[in-house]
Structures are given as structure tokens and as C-alpha cells.
Amino acid sequence: MIDNHIAALLAFAARLDSRVRRALADPQQSARTIADWTTALAEVPTTLPTTGWDAAQAVRRYYEQRGGDRSAQFRAVEPHDVVAAWAPHRAELMNRHTDPVPAADPDDPAAWREELLGTRAAVAHGHTPPAQYRAEINPAGQKRLAALMSGVGDGPRRYMPAEVAAQLAAFRPAQAKREALVAEGLPDPLGAKCPHCRAETGKRCRSGYRRHRDLDGVHPSRIEAVVAQLGDQDERDEAEQVRLARLMCQPPAPRDRRARHTSGGARP
């Protein structure tokens, strides 16, 4: 804010607080107050219509005594009150800001960094609104992105192209089997929360009381939960559901019992 903005802001505060009005009655005191406020609020904008910021509203909220704050009863508004109101608004702007690609040459790191930091400083000081790529993509850009992302997976939790997933199938047998079942039109074996081990949707079933380990199979109760999610199926009897359960995944193998070690050796 500049001197003229500070003078208008103090005139507004004087309408709300007689203490400010009396302090501005003396011309010399008024000039010193405006100079001090201008120095303290040099990086705070007066208004930002696009983001809803208004310094006058910040002064008004100070006198509204929100949240049980009674500071206005004991002292008049000060520059740090406006700064305290601007700080969370600036943080929100920066959270919404997405760094645009600088126009500088990428081979010039100094120029690239200077332009990037300059854009962030402009948003932090309220000179420019935050850049939001999602809001700025037009329908043509959305179609282009959809075409680029068309090969990034069709199966459950697939975030890679199909050809890459095929190359990794040998190293991920459980995931590959799951994707193959879904590709055949069968339900996802991990498409429901397991009632037995409480594994979340998309997570593998676990076994063990203290030391949990992931299972290659699925608990039978989870298979029943997945089949139950299918709803009413036309001409699908109990035998068909059993076939689906067997194709989806085999139940986990029972845990092997191991002989306990005893100390002291065998008794004579």
C-alpha cells in the first residue's frame, strides 16, 4: 500500500474508533502515523477483488472482536493487525498457485530461477492472481490431455501403460493375476474390504496375529463380499458364484505348524 491507500484506510478506521480520530487530529502526528503504516504495510495490497482480500474489511474484523478477542477495547488498530489478517490469505493464495513454466531459457538456470521466484513473489504480494492450470485448461486442452493419458492403464489401480504392465507381469504375479481377471470382465478380488483381516479395498489380505504378512490369496469371506457387491445377476445361480470365486483367487494356504525348540536337550 502507498500513502494514499494508508490515509484512506486510517480514515475508515477513524470512523470506527474515536482514538484513531483523535490521533489524526494533529497534522504532524497524522503524517508520522501514515509514514509508519506505509512502511509496515508496503507489501500488503489494498484490495484483491479476484481473491476476496480487502484491507478495510480486515480492520473491520478487528473491531468485531471475533473469537472472544477483546483487544479492540484496550487499544486501537495497529499495522500488525492488518499483517496478521493478510498472512493466512497469502498462504491460501500460495497453496492455490501452480508454478507456470518460465519463458526463460532452461539452459540458463539463473534466469529460470529468477523468473520462477519473481512469479511467486508477485502472487505473495498480491500483484497477480495465482496460476491454476486446472482452471485454465480449455475444452481443447482437456481433449489433448485425455488423448495423452489414454494409455495410462485401464485396470484396477493401474497407473502405467499397458505394455509396461505386461513387461512387469513376471515380477508381480499377484497384481498381474488381478488385472487379468478384471480384463476378462470378472470382479476385482480386492474390490471390497476383507471382513476377516480388515484389509482395506485394494489392499492384499494379511495373515498372522502379531507379525502381519501379505497373502497371495484372498480370504473366503472377502470373496463372498465381492460377489455380494455384484447385486442381482440375471440367471446367475449359486454354482456360477462358486465358479467366480474360484477364478478370482484361491483361498490362502493354511499356516504350517513348526516344532518348538526346547532348551536343555532331551531328558535322559
Side-chain angles (χ1 to χ4, degrees):
M1 285 189 278
I2 60 178
D3 295 347
N4 294 338
H5 299 160
I6 295 298
L9 185 64
L10 289 174
F12 175 75
R15 297 192 184 102
L16 302 176
D17 192 345
S18 60
R19 293 168 295 185
V20 178
R21 186 164 56 251
R22 289 193 298 268
L24 298 178
D26 184 6
Q28 295 181 354
Q29 179 65 25
S30 177
R32 288 194 299 267
T33 301
I34 293 176
D36 293 340
W37 277 60
T38 303
T39 303
L41 303 179
E43 297 183 355
V44 178
T46 307
T47 58
L48 291 177
T50 57
T51 62
W53 165 255
D54 191 342
Q57 294 300 323
V59 173
R60 183 180 183 87
R61 282 193 295 269
Y62 170 76
Y63 284 103
E64 289 178 355
Q65 302 179 4
R66 295 187 176 185
D69 184 11
R70 305 296 180 181
S71 301
Q73 295 182 354
F74 306 102
R75 62 174 179 83
V77 64
E78 297 179 4
H80 65 82
D81 297 316
V82 181
V83 173
W86 163 248
H89 189 87
R90 179 184 58 189
E92 181 183 358
L93 293 180
M94 297 306 298
N95 290 335
R96 292 162 48 192
H97 176 66
T98 304
D99 290 324
V101 179
D105 186 1
D107 294 332
D108 188 355
W112 181 280
R113 175 181 174 84
E114 182 179 359
E115 183 176 349
L116 189 65
L117 295 180
T119 304
R120 294 181 181 179
V123 175
H125 296 161
H127 300 314
T128 58
Q132 297 176 275
Y133 283 160
R134 294 180 180 179
E136 294 177 358
I137 296 179
N138 53 24
Q142 294 178 1
K143 293 181 180 179
R144 178 175 177 272
L145 288 178
L148 293 175
M149 299 296 292
S150 59
V152 187
D154 299 319
R157 300 181 62 83
R158 172 82 69 77
Y159 298 100
M160 62 182 67
E163 60 273 10
V164 177
Q167 296 175 6
L168 297 177
F171 305 96
R172 307 183 308 158
Q175 181 69 14
K177 183 177 181 181
R178 178 187 174 193
E179 294 175 354
L181 292 174
V182 176
E184 295 177 5
L186 297 177
D188 182 6
L190 307 184
K193 183 176 180 179
C194 182
H196 180 76
C197 64
R198 304 298 181 183
E200 298 293 336
T201 303
K203 301 293 184 180
R204 296 168 61 182
C205 287
R206 298 169 296 178
S207 177
Y209 176 68
R210 293 182 178 178
R211 295 183 179 179
H212 296 288
R213 61 185 180 89
D214 292 337
L215 299 177
D216 294 335
V218 180
H219 288 108
S221 58
R222 189 172 198 175
I223 296 178
E224 295 176 359
V226 173
V227 174
Q229 288 184 352
L230 299 179
D232 297 334
Q233 302 291 334
D234 296 335
E235 299 181 356
R236 176 167 293 177
D237 54 6
E238 184 177 357
E240 180 68 11
Q241 294 186 1
V242 172
R243 188 185 71 85
L244 283 176
R246 291 178 179 176
L247 288 175
M248 285 164 57
C249 201
Q250 295 295 331
R255 185 176 181 180
D256 297 335
R257 293 186 178 181
R258 299 181 180 180
R260 297 184 178 179
H261 296 282
T262 59
S263 58
R267 293 183 178 180

